[in-house]
Amino acid sequence: MSGLLAGKRLLITGIITDASIAFSVAKLAQENGATVVLTGYGRLSLVERIAKRLPQPAPVIELDATNPEHLAGLADKVREHVDGLDGVVHSIAFGPQSVLGGEFLNAPWEDVATALQVSTYSYKSLATACLPLMGTGGSIVGLTFDATKAWPVYDWMGVAKAGLESASRYLALHLGKQGIRSNLVSAGPLRTMAAKSIPGFEQFEEAWAQRAPLGWDLVDQEPAARAVCALLSDWFPATTGEIVHVDGGYHALGA
């Protein structure tokens, strides 16, 4: 993948630890010639500390993807570091504990609404906030978890991911006339910070380890990150509205 992203200017969200898929994306992107700008929310000092583990220094911008003021000012903050964007990575998801762990029938709307705003609507919000910086050939890539099935304990987050997958297709429709692509990478289960917040996550681990045709490494983020980088590159110029599965082939199997 040497030079795959040479000259590309990328905005990458969602780095929490160096076990984040987003961190692996940023690392690979830099190694392949990209200039990277990061966003963080909440504990910015933590994100800044993790960013120092990248091959090259990367600036960190504060971004709450549900905050209209943050979104309105995002383009100007990005311009302080780069003069435009060729790609955006959406790695943002959150759901209160009530929307996970088998409580599908009991989760209150207020908590479900939070999960949908942060995990689904933010994809559109981030894309439109970055549009002033993007031109023909731009690429927006998000991360999902297979929403074609109902998974034990995933509950309303599965609904949120289904919405995300639909939102990506609609972005593909509405941004295509500007030459901007929207695609998702559907990764298998990985032991990230987000995974640790899901009660019963070990059910996913056991299933993938036993059934994925290619096998599945629960602590290797690089295969998913490579797919993201490929979709950010110029090697998929006519691909949009797509979901690329990076899950060892598990999605192709019957129940």
Side-chain angles (χ1 to χ4, degrees), residues 178-190:
Q178 300 178 45
I180 296 173
R181 296 166 283 137
S182 173
N183 294 288
L184 300 177
V185 170
S186 181
L190 293 163

Side-chain angles (χ1 to χ4, degrees), residues 60-71:
V60 179
I61 296 171
E62 182 177 17
L63 175 65
D64 174 355
T66 68
N67 185 319
E69 292 182 1
H70 283 201
L71 291 164

Side-chain angles (χ1 to χ4, degrees), residues 35-142:
T35 298
V36 169
V37 178
L38 309 177
T39 74
Y41 172 62
R43 296 176 292 175
L44 273 190
S45 60
L46 173 61
V47 180
E48 290 168 346
R49 187 163 66 249
I50 297 299
K52 292 178 181 177
R53 300 177 187 175
L54 291 170
Q56 303 168 24
V60 179
I61 296 171
E62 182 177 17
L63 175 65
D64 174 355
T66 68
N67 185 319
E69 292 182 1
H70 283 201
L71 291 164
L74 180 60
D76 287 338
K77 288 189 175 182
V78 171
R79 286 192 186 99
E80 294 175 8
H81 306 286
V82 291
D83 58 359
L85 288 175
D86 302 292
V88 177
V89 176
H90 179 280
S91 182
I92 300 171
F94 171 76
Q97 282 298 113
S98 66
V99 307
L100 295 154
E103 293 299 313
F104 183 85
L105 298 179
N106 301 318
W109 166 244
E110 292 77 11
D111 289 351
V112 172
T114 295
L116 293 175
Q117 183 178 15
V118 177
S119 309
T120 307
Y121 188 76
S122 67
Y123 189 67
K124 190 282 302 185
S125 299
L126 179 65
T128 53
C130 292
L131 278 183
L133 300 165
M134 301 185 74
T136 299
S139 177
I140 302 168
V141 182

Side-chain angles (χ1 to χ4, degrees), residues 121-182:
Y121 188 76
S122 67
Y123 189 67
K124 190 282 302 185
S125 299
L126 179 65
T128 53
C130 292
L131 278 183
L133 300 165
M134 301 185 74
T136 299
S139 177
I140 302 168
V141 182
L143 291 162
T144 189
F145 185 77
D146 186 6
T148 62
K149 303 174 181 65
W151 298 101
V153 310
Y154 204 47
D155 295 332
W156 285 102
M157 285 304 295
V159 176
K161 291 299 187 183
L164 174 67
E165 294 177 7
S166 182
S168 179
R169 290 188 287 269
Y170 277 97
L171 272 184
L173 170 65
H174 290 285
L175 298 185
K177 64 188 72 172
Q178 300 178 45
I180 296 173
R181 296 166 283 137
S182 173

